[in-house]
Amino acid sequence: MRSRLSRLFLFLLVGATACTTQEIGAFDPQGYGSVQIDRLWWIILVISVIVYAFVMGTLILALLRRRREAPDIRQSAPPRGSHTYVTINGIVLPAVILIGVFFLSLMTMNGLNPDTDENTLVIEVTGRRWWWEVRYPDSNFVTANEIHIPVNQPVRIRLISDDVIHSFWVPSLHGKVDMIPGQVNEITLQAETVGSYRGQCAEYCGTQHGRMAFYVIADTAEGFDAWLANQQEPAVEPEAEDSLVAQGKQVFLTASFAYCHSIRGTAAQSDVGPDLTHLASRQTIGAGILPNTRGNLAGWVVNAQSIKPGSLMPAVPIAGEDLQALLAYLESLE
Ligand code: CUA
């Protein structure tokens, strides 16, 4: 019953937002914070349904009674006890319910973040138009649009913005928190299950706000450590100097890409766009909007403006051979 209701509301939500909501799991809580938000949501829904049914029932009863009795109600005195009835149901009950829900919400908000200590993993996420820069300060590397965390462990996420207000939202794991320029907000994520959870910018930040997505990937402790160790490494070098991959590296460094992106271990050291040191290890490109496949990558390199108009990534005129070499190089960056 509950899952059927969930699907109904999900359906209404999809109708209201017309986005890829099937991956956005507000009704599929898998995190410390989201479980409590979900519980509060169901409690408020049940209270609302009861209040609505009571109000509507009373209204219908009153209408039926008025038809049967008192042809001219204006001249009859109000029935005995009617003032008490109105006082209780119109003032006392609503006040009790609203104050109760208010404190329930406050208590829930207060307990959304699990406890942390000085050993807790810290990740810094910066909202950019329109992608997410993800920094692991203790391990000294930057990645983009994919946040890896160990399962069943609290992780502190420091949220900042470089340009306008964004909002960090992974419905399966936690509530929304705004990212405000000049301010650091913090939440603590804790995923209860291994999995990949889609997040989305939840504050309108410009034309591509709707395409500002990301993934939080909760892995086992061993899986996470292996990922962390790999990310800390500089980019892999092409094996043979005359290989297609090596040619692709030259294309990358001589064309405009190196002015905007970083690949650690090479001369490309700009932070205008996402760090590409381990691009091939990521599941999506364009901030969670396309699977990271050769075809999508080619389309993105050649004309990102047709995919994400207004983003900083320009269309790059590039010869077919160079493109093939470049793609081979980008796909080698695991
Ligand atoms: Cu960033 Cu909306």
Side-chain angles (χ1 to χ4, degrees):
M1 180 63 189
R2 200 177 125 147
S3 79
R4 248 191 236 164
L5 263 183
S6 299
R7 248 176 266 151
L8 173 68
F9 281 105
L10 206 57
F11 175 76
L12 295 175
L13 259 184
V14 173
T17 57
C19 60
T20 51
T21 330
Q22 101 215 61
E23 279 192 284
I24 291 272
F27 292 107
D28 179 27
Q30 300 289 341
Y32 186 93
S34 59
V35 165
Q36 297 174 69
I37 295 172
D38 183 67
R39 190 188 307 135
L40 177 68
W41 193 88
W42 282 104
I43 292 173
I44 291 180
L45 178 73
V46 169
I47 293 175
S48 310
V49 167
I50 293 172
V51 169
Y52 185 77
F54 177 71
V55 171
M56 283 302 136
T58 318
L59 182 69
I60 291 166
L61 267 182
L63 288 172
L64 290 177
R65 242 170 88 176
R66 190 173 149 180
R67 281 203 177 170
R68 277 202 309 268
E69 300 162 8
D72 191 356
I73 204 161
R74 281 162 299 183
Q75 286 173 11
S76 57
R80 270 185 56 212
S82 62
H83 283 127
T84 321
Y85 186 83
V86 169
T87 312
I88 290 177
N89 293 316
I91 299 172
V92 178
L93 257 184
V96 168
I97 291 172
L98 289 177
I99 291 170
V101 167
F102 174 67
F103 278 101
L104 203 60
S105 304
L106 281 188
M107 277 159 56
T108 305
M109 276 168 70
N110 233 348
L112 283 185
N113 293 304
D115 293 337
T116 59
D117 55 37
E118 67 273 16
N119 296 319
T120 306
L121 175 69
V122 176
I123 305 173
E124 229 173 70
V125 180
T126 309
R128 311 275 299 260
R129 276 188 291 179
W130 291 276
W131 56 284
W132 311 80
E133 187 179 273
V134 181
R135 184 180 300 273
Y136 288 69
D138 296 331
S139 307
N140 229 353
F141 70 86
V142 185
T143 178
N145 306 321
E146 212 171 84
I147 303 169
H148 286 244
I149 60 171
V151 76
N152 278 324
Q153 277 181 47
V155 177
R156 280 166 57 198
I157 312 276
R158 307 181 73 222
L159 301 166
I160 41 195
S161 169
D162 246 11
D163 37 49
V164 296
I165 300 178
H166 303 274
S167 184
F168 181 92
W169 190 34
V170 195
S172 298
L173 298 181
H174 210 291
K176 291 173 194 169
V177 177
D178 278 0
M179 313 169 92
I180 298 164
Q183 187 180 322
V184 180
N185 286 339
E186 226 182 81
I187 57 168
T188 307
L189 293 186
Q190 181 171 319
E192 316 281 7
T193 332
V194 168
S196 175
Y197 305 105
R198 191 178 167 94
Q200 169 67 39
C201 182
E203 177 71 41
Y204 183 72
C205 54
T207 50
Q208 295 303 328
H209 155 72
R211 294 201 187 99
M212 188 170 166
F214 62 102
Y215 283 87
V216 172
I217 294 163
D219 207 345
T220 56
E222 304 83 58
F224 173 74
D225 288 343
W227 177 86
L228 201 69
N230 181 53
Q231 296 291 317
Q232 283 172 285
E233 295 293 320
V236 283
E237 278 296 307
E239 276 177 9
E241 264 185 40
D242 55 349
S243 64
L244 193 65
V245 174
Q247 280 176 46
K249 185 180 173 187
Q250 278 318 305
V251 172
F252 186 90
L253 293 175
T254 47
S256 50
F257 307 107
Y259 295 118
C260 297
H261 297 278
S262 258
I263 296 184
R264 266 178 292 130
T266 74
Q269 297 290 334
S270 171
D271 64 354
V272 176
D275 184 294
L276 303 178
T277 309
H278 294 284
L279 173 67
S281 75
R282 305 208 279 261
Q283 295 174 359
T284 61
I285 59 168
I289 61 170
L290 289 172
N292 188 359
T293 62
R294 173 171 278 231
N296 286 337
L297 212 49
W300 182 261
V301 168
V302 172
N303 194 356
Q305 291 301 314
S306 69
I307 301 169
K308 209 164 172 177
S311 71
L312 285 181
M313 174 85 183
V316 181
I318 185 169
E321 269 173 39
D322 286 351
L323 178 63
Q324 290 308 322
L326 179 69
L327 292 172
Y329 176 57
L330 292 178
E331 285 191 323
S332 77
L333 300 174
E334 299 217 322

